[in-house]
């Protein structure tokens, strides 16, 4: 725990009767920013702690996934700042090449224009205008959530500094022969009109058709099957396995390609599986990656048969048809010639779609720029294997290694206008010049710059160091690199994490970009279903913030955050968190009204009651527990520990047990007021990283100090009092057992009952007044008649229930419940005694029946005890 050295003000500000988040949050956040609490100082002698934000798209708005990850990053940063670190949480946005260009193109389409009407330069200027007017909406929403980011260091992947970093690393990779240009098969989106990487392709099961087509004539025929019949127009071979006896006589020969005037060779290739289908496959090198590889091995021609929009460009009858129209037309033409041997429709198969516009992607032979990832991926894998970078949870390492150890060369060029233009110039005589940021681009007649831009992930892969000023050795880079934690969803290990690892190690001479990769799950709805507009279950976190406050949303998200595990969330859980913030508010308000204070040192334990010592012991244990959970990124467990400590132990037990002390006044009340002040001080500090707004408001009212943001994080003082903990556990047992008995007897919560407590010689004796108050037990008084006696925790509580319940009716009700429990026991016992049933029933069914039997036994014992405790009717 922390020693509070500042004096509490003479008069504590009175808190409103209810907490109104909307009246507090906005003003409080702006005060934090204005006072520079989130601004990191590169000259500080404090140890650094750095987190860079996964840059949201400039087109985006805050969704629950953002709110989830931002809450966790903010909690980590706030805690480290309180622990005395120079904490930097660096914000920014990604230019989101395809997504942003699509937004502006849609805007132009509404005006009846296309980007080509404007030309490249004017179109890019239009995108910048759109960005200034509409982009960055999410930044304001981050303030609503309470993100403690350093706004003075906000970056954008297209700003001047980051553009210089992109050009620098491209030139370095190019000079090191790790970037090259080559014609390969790529994933092409006919809607976005650009190449996309493998990781930007989403696969889904689509209904298609599988047609089997006869190639060749007479004895020299083969049957091939395909789901893309239109691509046969670009076939340049049929391939069979070299050991397939059925086709050995055809290998090396040429056969007629239907619907064309061409003949194509039959080649033998070990890629072909002779057990699959007919054992013969059509080869279309320009439109399939496996076929392209076969074509390379056998020197086959690559014929491109469709344009960038997926329109057929060859063979008269089909020329000008969309690829899907051509598919039907080709099948119809083949059918009319009797070449369709078999058709299967619908044929469900996995089809790739553009992750941004959902269009079916088209494999396409294209000249593109590539990163040779072999040595970069090797370094990225080694950094985790040798322990320089930790992946948390550790079992996620396998997914990381599966990717980096089997990574294909990365296609980095995109056929867009918005983005970092590839810094390569082509001369009139075939010259190729790569230009760095300090180089002069070649000028003169015939020199042109490459028209493509770089994949968005190329620039965001530089994020951990480019945002700190690289390639310059800036004070920020010296102070805050390597970053400490990358906290992100496990779904972008491939998109972003691996890219940053490769580029960070390469650009920073082997220095890792982050020391820990903390992977989270994804947010789901309350039934565990993926949130999707098509499912109608998408939630706008701003709606929940409006209704329940940002702290309630944050606490709900943190309480569901088990490492690497998806997070189900429903509105009722946010309501429960709102109730928790209200509980904190009301309990602190009560404490302040009853003199809770942080003024002066804590009294000596000898002056404290067992209740005081118990809560301080539990407080220190909670500090230690929360610290351990933070170090292990166990946000759900630390939030749960804080919830139960604050609500159950502080508010429901300590405050209630202390009421008699407060009402009695004198030194005991003064001691308890100081202890309660300490407990609230530390509890609010512990809660602050996850629920910053309500804790700030309450803590400054309690302590009179400036801000929790810059307060010290609590430390475990080591104080433990096991005897006091055992003593209060006895009190809790008595209160819990008697409350259960009262409920079983149908007594209302506030109904007072005469009682005699026999606590002589037990640790409960000093707590008799508190026990009576908690249980609504009156002194026994004249005419007291004990109708029920409860032995518990070494003491006896005798109750006079005469006049409080209808004994006859209660006996009748309990007798009915007892009969039902005994019937349940008999049925379960019979089933478990039936050997034939046990032999056939599944294990889980048998286990359920055993559980029912145990529950029935428990109910019978409970009801019998209740009956025995009732007075005679």
């Amino acid at each position: 725990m922390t020693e509070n050295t500042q004096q509490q003000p003479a008069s504590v500000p009175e808190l409103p009767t209810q907490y109104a988040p909307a009246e507090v949050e906005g003003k409080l956040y702006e005060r934090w920013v204005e006072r520079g609490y989130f601004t990191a100082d590169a000259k500080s002698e404090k140890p650094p702690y750095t987190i860079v934000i996964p840059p949201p798209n400039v087109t985006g708005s805050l969704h629950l996934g953002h709110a989830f990850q931002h809450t966790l990053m903010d909690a980590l940063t706030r805690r480290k700042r309180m622990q005395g670190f120079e904490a930097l949480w660096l914000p920014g946005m990604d230019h989101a090449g395809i997504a942003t260009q699509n937004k502006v193109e849609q805007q132009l389409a509404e005006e009846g224009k296309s980007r080509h009407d404007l030309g490249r330069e004017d179109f890019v200027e239009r995108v910048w205008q759109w960005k200034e007017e509409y982009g960055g909406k999410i930044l304001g929403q981050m303030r609503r959530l309470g993100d403690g980011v350093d706004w003075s260091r906000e970056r954008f992947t297209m700003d001047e500094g980051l553009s210089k970093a992109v050009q620098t690393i491209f030139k370095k990779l190019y000079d090191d022969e790790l970037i090259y240009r080559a014609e390969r098969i790529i994933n092409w989106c006919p809607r976005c009109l650009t190449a996309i990487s493998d990781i930007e392709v989403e696969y889904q099961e689509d209904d298609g058709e599988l047609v089997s087509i006869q190639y060749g004539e007479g004895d020299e025929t083969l049957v091939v099957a395909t789901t893309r019949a239109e691509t046969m127009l670009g076939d340049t071979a049929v391939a069979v396995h070299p050991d397939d006896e059925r086709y050995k006589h055809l290998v090396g020969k040429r056969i007629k390609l239907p619907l064309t005037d061409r003949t194509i060779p039959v080649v033998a290739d070990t890629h072909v599986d002779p057990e699959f289908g007919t054992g013969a496959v059509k080869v279309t090198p320009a439109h399939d990656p496996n076929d392209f590889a076969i074509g390379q091995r056998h020197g086959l021609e690559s014929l491109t048969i469709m344009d960038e929009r997926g329109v057929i460009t060859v063979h008269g009858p089909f020329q000008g048809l969309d690829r899907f129209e051509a598919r039907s037309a080709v099948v119809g033409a083949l059918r009319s010639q009797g070449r369709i041997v078999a058709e299967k429709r619908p044929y469900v198969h996995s089809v790739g779609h553009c992750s941004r516009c959902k269009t079916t992607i088209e494999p396409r032979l294209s000249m593109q720029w590539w990163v040779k990832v072999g040595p970069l991926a090797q370094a990225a894998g080694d950094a985790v294997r040798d322990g320089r970078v930790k992946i948390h949870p550790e079992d996620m390492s396998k997914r990381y290694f599966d990717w980096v150890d089997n990574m294909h060369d990365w296609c980095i060029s995109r056929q867009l206008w918005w983005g970092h233009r590839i810094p390569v110039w082509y001369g009139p005589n075939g010259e190729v010049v790569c230009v760095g940021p300090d180089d002069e681009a070649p000028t003169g007649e015939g020199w042109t710059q490459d028209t493509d831009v770089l994949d968005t992930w190329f620039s965001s892969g530089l994020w951990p160091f480019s945002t700190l000023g690289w390639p310059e050795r800036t004070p920020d880079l010296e102070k805050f690199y390597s970053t400490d934690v990358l906290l992100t969803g496990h779904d972008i290990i491939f998109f972003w994490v691996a890219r940053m690892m490769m580029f960070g190690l390469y650009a920073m001479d082997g220095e890792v970009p982050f020391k820990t990769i903390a992977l989270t799950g994804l947010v789901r709805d309350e039934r565990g279903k993926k949130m999707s507009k098509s499912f109608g279950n998408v939630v706008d976190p701003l709606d929940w913030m409006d209704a329940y406050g940002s702290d309630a949303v944050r606490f709900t998200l943190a309480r569901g955050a088990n490492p690497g595990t998806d997070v189900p969330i429903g509105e009722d859980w946010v309501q429960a968190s709102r109730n928790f913030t209200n509980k904190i508010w009301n309990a602190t308000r009560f404490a302040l009204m009853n003199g809770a204070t942080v003024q002066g040192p804590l009294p000596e334990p000898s002056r404290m009651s067992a209740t005081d010592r118990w809560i301080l012991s539990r407080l220190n244990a909670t500090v230690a527990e929360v610290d351990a959970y933070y170090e292990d990124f166990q946000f759900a467990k630390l939030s749960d520990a804080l919830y139960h400590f604050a609500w159950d132990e502080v508010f429901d037990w300590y405050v209630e047990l202390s009421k008699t002390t407060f009402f009695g006044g004198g030194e005991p009340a003064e001691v308890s007021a100081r202890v309660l002040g300490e407990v609230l001080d530390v509890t609010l500090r512990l809660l602050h990283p996850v629920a910053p707004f309500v804790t700030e408001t309450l803590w400054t009212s309690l302590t009179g100090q400036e801000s929790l943001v810059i307060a010290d994080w609590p430390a475990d003082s080591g104080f433990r009092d096991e005897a006091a903990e055992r003593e209060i556990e006895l009190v809790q047992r008595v209160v819990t057992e008697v409350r259960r008995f009262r409920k079983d007897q149908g007594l209302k919560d506030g109904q007072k009952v005469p009682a005699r407590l026999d606590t002589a010689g037990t640790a409960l004796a000093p707590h008799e007044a508190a026990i009576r108050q908690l249980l609504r037990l009156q002194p026994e008084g004249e005419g007291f008649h004990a109708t029920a006696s409860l032995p518990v925790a070494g003491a006896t509580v005798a109750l006079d229930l005469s006049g409080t319940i209808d004994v006859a009716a209660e006996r009748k009700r309990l007798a009915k419940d007892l009969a039902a429990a005994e019937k349940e026991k008999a049925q379960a016992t019979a089933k478990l005694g039936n050997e034939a049933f046990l032999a056939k029933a599944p294990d889980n069914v048998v286990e359920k029946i055993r559980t029912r039997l145990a529950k029935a036994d428990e109910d019978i014992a409970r009801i019998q005890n209740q009956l025995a405790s009732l007075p005679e009717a």
Side-chain angles (χ1 to χ4, degrees):
M1 292 180 293
T2 54
E3 183 75 8
N4 203 319
T5 55
Q6 280 190 273
Q7 296 296 302
Q8 188 171 351
S11 60
V12 175
E14 186 175 339
L15 290 168
T17 55
Q18 291 184 321
Y19 177 49
E23 297 175 12
V24 170
E25 294 175 351
K27 296 175 184 176
L28 203 51
Y29 187 85
E30 291 310 316
R31 188 188 312 154
W32 289 337
V33 174
E34 288 167 7
R35 293 181 178 179
Y37 294 156
F38 306 141
T39 305
D41 182 2
K43 297 178 182 177
S44 167
E45 294 184 1
K46 296 178 182 178
Y49 182 82
T50 315
I51 293 182
V52 291
I53 208 164
N57 286 354
V58 66
T59 59
S61 59
L62 190 75
H63 56 63
L64 270 177
H66 290 130
F68 171 55
Q69 292 182 359
H70 287 208
T71 293
L72 305 188
M73 285 185 278
D74 195 32
L76 291 172
T77 311
R78 285 178 182 269
R79 174 174 174 262
K80 286 295 183 181
R81 188 179 291 115
M82 294 173 75
Q83 285 183 315
F85 286 79
E86 194 62 36
L88 169 61
W89 185 19
L90 195 148
M93 292 184 299
D94 191 278
H95 65 278
I98 294 177
T100 309
Q101 180 156 321
N102 281 347
K103 286 277 188 185
V104 179
E105 289 199 78
Q106 288 165 13
Q107 197 178 65
L108 287 173
E110 292 171 3
E111 302 170 12
K113 298 177 183 177
S114 75
R115 60 176 160 131
H116 300 285
D117 293 325
L118 272 67
R120 183 169 192 142
E121 188 174 328
D122 287 347
F123 176 78
V124 170
E125 178 58 33
R126 179 72 176 259
V127 180
W128 277 107
Q129 291 172 8
W130 182 93
K131 184 256 182 187
E132 293 304 316
E133 187 172 354
Y134 301 105
K137 178 181 178 183
I138 193 171
L139 299 178
Q141 295 168 339
M142 286 162 56
R143 301 170 98 93
R144 279 288 314 275
L145 187 65
D147 283 8
V149 296
D150 184 346
W151 291 111
S152 72
R153 287 178 167 86
E154 180 190 334
R155 303 306 299 268
F156 180 55
T157 50
M158 289 276 287
D159 69 29
E160 184 178 350
L162 269 63
S163 295
K164 181 178 181 180
V166 167
Q167 201 172 349
T168 299
I169 201 161
F170 187 99
K171 179 77 162 69
K172 179 173 169 59
L173 288 162
Y174 182 87
D175 290 346
D176 288 346
E177 299 182 350
L178 292 173
I179 280 183
Y180 63 95
R181 193 169 185 243
E183 192 174 46
R184 300 268 186 88
I185 290 283
I186 47 90
N187 303 300
W188 181 265
C189 177
R191 159 63 184 80
C192 297
L193 299 180
T194 181
I196 60 176
S197 66
D198 291 343
I199 54 179
E200 293 169 300
V201 178
E202 293 179 348
Y203 287 90
Q204 66 184 47
E205 297 296 308
D206 285 358
D207 286 346
E209 60 180 347
L210 180 69
V211 293
S212 298
I213 309 168
Q214 180 183 302
Y215 282 25
E217 305 287 352
D219 294 335
E220 297 181 348
T221 62
L222 289 164
V223 174
V224 300
T226 182
T227 58
R228 302 167 67 223
E230 72 282 5
T231 62
M232 66 158 293
L233 302 173
D235 285 357
T236 55
V238 173
V240 298
H241 193 277
D243 298 333
D244 196 329
E245 294 293 336
R246 294 171 294 176
Y247 305 120
K248 277 195 171 181
H249 67 290
L250 292 177
V251 174
K253 293 185 177 181
R254 301 184 71 85
I255 60 173
K256 179 75 167 57
L257 178 66
L259 305 182
T260 73
D261 57 2
R262 293 190 290 119
T263 61
I264 57 176
V266 178
V267 300
D269 197 281
T270 55
H271 170 75
V272 180
D273 180 0
E275 303 297 322
F276 184 77
T278 64
V281 298
K282 59 190 287 300
V283 182
T284 321
H287 293 277
D288 183 275
N290 293 321
D291 293 3
F292 178 76
I294 293 173
Q296 292 284 293
R297 288 193 289 272
H298 297 277
L300 301 176
E301 185 181 6
S302 294
L303 298 179
T304 299
I305 63 160
M306 64 182 80
D307 67 12
E308 60 185 8
R309 297 183 184 274
V311 174
I312 302 299
T313 57
V314 298
H315 200 69
F318 311 107
Q319 193 166 355
L321 294 180
D322 171 81
R323 54 188 168 151
F324 300 117
E325 297 172 334
R327 184 171 299 169
S328 298
V330 166
V331 171
L334 290 167
R335 189 183 295 114
S336 68
Q337 292 186 7
R339 289 189 175 274
I340 300 295
V341 176
E343 295 180 72
K344 186 175 182 181
R345 188 186 298 112
Y347 177 72
V348 179
H349 61 136
S350 182
V351 178
H353 296 260
C354 173
S355 63
R356 289 177 176 83
C357 71
K358 311 308 176 188
T359 300
T360 301
I361 62 103
E362 191 65 41
R364 175 180 172 86
L365 184 62
S366 181
M367 183 68 75
Q368 301 285 344
W369 285 95
W370 304 80
V371 171
K372 186 186 294 183
V373 299
L376 302 175
Q378 175 71 43
D382 289 346
V384 174
R385 286 190 173 93
D386 64 23
R388 283 176 289 155
V389 177
K390 305 288 186 186
I391 292 181
H392 192 279
E394 192 175 350
D395 58 12
M396 285 283 181
S397 298
K398 183 180 184 303
R399 295 186 66 185
Y400 176 80
F401 291 131
D402 285 346
W403 180 251
V404 298
D405 293 347
N406 300 285
M407 197 182 295
H408 301 298
D409 282 3
W410 173 19
C411 176
I412 56 171
S413 45
R414 298 291 180 267
Q415 289 64 55
L416 303 171
W417 287 355
W418 171 246
H420 294 283
R421 195 163 173 182
I422 288 176
V424 172
W425 270 254
Y426 305 107
N429 300 312
E431 303 96 330
V432 178
V433 175
C434 180
V435 176
D438 300 321
D439 301 333
E440 289 290 333
T443 56
E445 188 175 348
W447 282 94
T448 58
Q449 186 177 358
D450 196 299
T451 57
D452 288 352
V453 300
L454 288 162
D455 177 10
T456 296
W457 297 102
F458 189 95
S459 51
S460 59
L462 315 181
W463 191 253
F465 53 94
S466 63
T467 53
L468 296 172
W470 187 90
E472 309 302 327
R473 295 301 299 192
T474 63
D476 275 2
L477 193 67
E478 296 288 348
K479 177 74 174 181
F480 296 111
Y481 192 89
S482 298
T483 70
D484 288 86
V485 178
L486 172 71
L487 190 143
T488 190
H490 62 64
D491 56 324
I492 60 171
I493 292 177
F494 322 122
F495 286 90
W496 194 44
V497 178
R499 311 291 195 221
M500 288 188 289
M501 285 286 281
M502 292 192 301
F503 282 166
L505 291 161
Y506 174 75
M508 297 298 293
D509 300 321
E511 196 174 355
V512 297
F514 23 74
K515 302 175 184 75
T516 300
I517 302 168
L519 296 171
T520 70
L522 310 179
V523 178
R524 307 258 179 190
D525 71 11
E526 62 266 36
R527 295 177 181 85
K529 193 173 184 179
K530 180 180 179 181
M531 287 192 176
S532 164
K533 289 180 181 177
S534 61
F535 296 153
N537 61 351
V538 173
V539 172
D540 185 344
L542 295 170
D543 291 340
W544 282 352
M545 288 185 223
D546 289 341
Y548 307 112
S550 298
D551 286 327
V553 174
R554 290 171 61 113
F555 194 79
T556 304
L557 291 164
R559 203 173 177 194
N562 290 298
T565 304
D566 288 350
V567 183
I569 184 172
E571 187 166 4
D572 54 339
W573 302 337
V574 186
Q575 290 173 348
S577 295
R578 186 270 316 272
N579 294 344
F580 179 52
T581 61
N582 286 344
K583 184 77 170 179
I584 300 168
W585 183 271
N586 293 333
T588 305
R589 187 168 176 273
F590 166 85
L592 290 172
M593 291 170 61
N594 285 276
T597 179
V598 296
Q599 189 171 0
L602 275 173
E604 290 298 317
S606 60
R607 294 176 59 205
M608 297 179 189
S609 68
T611 309
D612 294 331
R613 298 194 305 276
W614 162 73
I615 197 62
L616 290 175
S617 183
R618 290 295 306 129
L619 177 67
N620 277 283
T622 301
V623 170
E625 187 179 17
V626 168
D627 276 334
Y629 285 144
Y630 261 115
E631 295 306 314
D632 200 33
F633 303 98
Q634 297 281 359
F635 296 98
K637 290 182 178 179
L638 72 89
S639 299
D640 214 45
L642 285 169
Y643 177 91
H644 288 294
F645 174 71
W647 192 308
D648 299 345
E649 299 188 271
V650 179
F651 306 146
D652 278 0
W653 284 108
Y654 181 71
V655 169
E656 294 300 322
L657 287 169
S658 300
K659 280 183 178 178
T660 54
T661 305
F662 288 135
F663 298 157
E667 184 184 3
E670 292 176 4
V671 170
S672 290
R674 178 64 188 91
V675 170
L676 180 55
E678 181 76 9
V679 171
L680 287 175
D681 175 15
V682 174
T683 302
L684 292 170
R685 291 176 197 242
L686 292 172
L687 282 165
H688 176 72
V690 178
F693 294 108
V694 68
T695 53
E696 171 86 338
T697 306
L698 294 173
W699 186 84
T700 52
S701 294
L702 172 70
T703 66
Q705 295 187 42
E706 183 181 343
S707 174
L708 251 181
V709 180
I710 54 172
D712 292 336
W713 181 253
D716 175 9
S717 70
F719 177 80
R720 300 289 191 278
D721 192 323
E722 294 181 5
E725 291 196 33
R726 287 193 299 271
E727 186 170 321
I728 301 305
E729 283 172 13
L730 293 177
V731 175
Q732 291 171 326
R733 278 180 55 194
V734 170
V735 173
T736 302
E737 286 296 320
V738 177
R739 277 177 175 167
R740 184 181 295 118
F741 177 79
R742 286 176 57 109
K743 183 177 180 182
D744 289 342
Q745 303 307 315
L747 297 176
K748 295 179 181 178
D749 290 343
Q751 190 170 351
K752 294 182 178 179
V753 178
R756 180 172 61 242
L757 272 63
D758 181 7
T759 61
T762 74
L764 295 168
H767 305 283
E768 185 169 324
I771 292 171
R772 283 186 176 276
Q773 181 171 320
L774 287 169
L775 291 171
R776 305 293 192 269
L777 302 180
Q778 292 178 317
E780 47 196 287
E782 188 176 344
F784 176 81
H785 174 60
T787 59
S789 183
L790 301 176
V792 57
T796 302
V797 181
L799 305 171
D800 183 355
L801 301 179
S802 56
T804 59
I805 61 172
D806 184 336
V807 176
E810 185 64 15
R811 281 189 176 278
K812 186 176 179 180
R813 182 184 71 81
L814 290 172
K816 184 179 177 181
D817 290 347
L818 181 60
E822 287 173 337
K823 182 180 178 181
E824 175 74 2
K825 177 179 180 179
Q827 290 175 341
T829 302
K831 283 190 176 182
L832 292 173
N834 185 335
E835 294 297 334
F837 170 77
L838 293 176
K840 294 179 181 177
D843 291 345
N844 65 318
V845 173
V846 175
E847 187 57 36
K848 281 184 181 178
I849 294 171
R850 288 197 178 106
T851 302
R852 282 171 48 195
L853 178 59
K855 175 70 165 53
D857 282 333
E858 182 182 305
D859 288 344
I860 289 168
R862 177 178 55 80
I863 296 168
Q864 287 175 338
N865 283 336
Q866 288 177 238
L867 283 166
S869 66
L870 285 174
E872 293 299 324

